[in-house]
Amino acid sequence: MSASRKSGPGRKATLHAVAERAGVSLATASRALTGTYPVASATKARVTEAAAELGYVRGKRVPESDHRLPTVATIVNDVRQDFLIEIVSGIEQLVTGAGHFCLVGSSGYDLTTEFAMLDALVDDPAIEGVIVAGGVYDTEAYRTGIRKRAKRYAEQQVPLVFCGRPGVEGAPVRIVDYDQAGGAASAVSHLLSQGHRRIAYIRGPEGFTTSEGRTEGYYSALASFDIPVDQRIIKTGERVRATGYQAAKELLSEGADITAIFAESDYIASGALTAVRESGLSVPGDISVIGFDDLGLAQETWPPLTTVHLPFDELGRAAARLVLSPPAAGSGRNRSVFGTHLVIRESVRSLW
């Protein structure tokens, strides 16, 4: 990153530029200028001098009387989703601790809305970085649009971070993701190791990055045991409880000779659990069920759900760190992938 954000209409020096000039972290620069936390006098003087040299004014075009703090914005698909709430909580912990304001907005899974939010935020002089959390429909329109916007963010030197979303070739963004395929493969491999061979899969929508990653894991686990994919026992829908309920009902009414269900998410799994019980079968006595995400509800279902655990709050903190302490170009720290692990509860039984 160069010494100052490139200027556009009305653009002034950013807090990032001040931090780099003073040789301190973004958080330290913020604390030195806002006075919200104690900072060594020599450090404060260095930051103040850098701000004066660059013409930085806290809040930039915002009147000082408004006391507007530098802001980190997060865009999510749906603020009601438990896993996104956890990610945002992790972001907020670091952002507010650094003396910044945390702004959260929802796109409602609408690409036009997401792009409009990105366009508005890059032009807001108080915004010091933007995090986009959650999957997306991977279309050509999305890839083209995100490349254009990511390049603008890079030109303006506003960090743009994807959290729980893969990157796009040619788009200069920072990435915090997790091993979707590996997590799904571990779940299906666990069922296979317990003797299950007819494993139905209830997945989310076609083209959605989260769903595609987990589907890859399902396929790879079957392949590792030389088991052919049977499309008749794969059901596609939305990433909601109703999909799991309806899909499991269909599988059972069609007489599918399955012994287990792998659900792409805990929401879907909870619906499948209900459908199996309503059909007069038991979990795991007749059908084993396994989920993905390890949301709070996974411990509250009956039986408690075996699932893949994701460290959502840590994903959020890692994304926030990429904004607050941007790694140097070429450092290899602009992308990180978190691992997953399986949490064994009571919804899977061995057939051996």
Side-chain angles (χ1 to χ4, degrees):
M1 183 180 292
S2 60
S4 63
R5 187 185 290 181
K6 289 185 180 181
S7 60
R11 268 291 184 195
K12 295 184 180 180
T14 67
L15 189 60
H16 282 287
V18 173
E20 288 196 352
R21 176 68 66 91
V24 300
S25 70
L26 186 62
T28 298
S30 175
R31 291 167 179 168
L33 294 173
T34 62
T36 52
Y37 292 84
V39 175
S41 57
T43 301
K44 184 172 183 177
R46 199 161 70 248
V47 171
T48 302
E49 181 180 357
E53 291 174 353
L54 294 172
Y56 174 81
V57 178
R58 182 165 64 88
K60 297 181 258 312
R61 290 181 300 219
V62 182
E64 185 70 20
S65 59
D66 286 353
H67 303 293
R68 190 172 175 191
L69 293 174
T71 300
V72 175
T74 302
I75 301 172
V76 299
N77 293 318
D78 184 349
V79 293
R80 298 168 297 180
Q81 298 286 334
D82 290 359
F83 68 94
L84 289 172
I85 291 172
E86 291 187 35
I87 287 175
V88 170
S89 177
I91 293 170
E92 187 177 34
Q93 288 175 33
L94 261 70
V95 167
T96 57
H100 287 49
F101 182 68
C102 186
L103 174 69
V104 181
S106 174
S107 68
Y109 290 92
D110 182 74
L111 186 60
T112 300
T113 300
E114 180 175 299
F115 283 171
M117 295 170 77
L118 286 170
D119 291 341
L121 290 168
V122 75
D123 286 327
D124 187 330
I127 297 298
E128 293 292 339
V130 176
I131 299 167
V132 184
V136 67
Y137 287 96
D138 185 16
T139 64
E140 184 58 38
Y142 165 70
R143 291 190 293 271
T144 299
I146 211 65
R147 287 189 195 102
K148 172 185 173 183
R149 286 162 177 85
K151 288 175 182 176
R152 180 139 187 258
Y153 270 74
E155 290 169 357
Q156 295 281 41
Q157 297 187 9
V158 181
L160 179 59
V161 179
F162 284 177
C163 182
R165 175 184 294 193
V168 172
E169 185 177 357
V173 299
R174 297 163 184 160
I175 305 291
V176 176
D177 207 352
Y178 53 92
D179 189 359
Q180 304 268 15
S186 70
V188 179
S189 295
H190 175 65
L191 291 169
L192 292 164
S193 72
Q194 298 303 304
H196 297 275
R197 294 297 181 265
R198 294 288 293 169
I199 304 169
Y201 174 39
I202 308 177
R203 56 161 292 167
E206 299 278 353
F208 194 70
T209 53
T210 302
S211 302
E212 295 301 335
R214 296 180 188 187
T215 299
E216 179 186 340
Y218 172 78
Y219 287 159
S220 68
L222 293 180
S224 69
F225 279 71
D226 294 323
I227 296 175
V229 174
D230 184 351
Q231 294 293 339
R232 294 172 300 176
I233 59 174
I234 298 176
K235 298 293 184 179
T236 300
E238 298 303 314
R239 306 185 72 243
V240 295
R241 186 181 185 280
T243 288
Y245 179 83
Q246 183 61 37
K249 282 282 192 182
E250 290 176 4
L251 287 164
L252 297 173
S253 66
E254 291 164 359
D257 57 337
I258 60 172
T259 62
I261 295 172
F262 168 51
E264 180 193 295
S265 74
D266 292 344
Y267 293 128
I268 292 175
S270 68
L273 286 171
T274 299
V276 171
R277 287 198 304 270
E278 286 185 1
S279 298
L281 302 175
S282 70
V283 178
D286 298 301
I287 305 284
S288 292
V289 177
I290 195 165
F292 200 120
D293 289 335
D294 196 21
L295 304 176
L297 66 87
Q299 301 180 57
E300 300 167 1
T301 60
W302 185 256
L305 187 64
T306 294
T307 186
V308 178
H309 176 79
L310 292 180
F312 289 115
D313 57 344
E314 181 53 34
L315 286 170
R317 288 194 291 271
R321 280 192 287 270
L322 285 179
V323 172
L324 298 173
S325 302
S331 66
R333 293 174 51 237
N334 282 300
R335 183 177 187 274
S336 59
V337 179
F338 283 71
T340 62
H341 67 267
L342 196 63
V343 178
I344 306 296
R345 296 197 178 98
E346 300 172 32
S347 64
V348 174
R349 80 177 182 97
S350 173
L351 298 184
W352 297 121

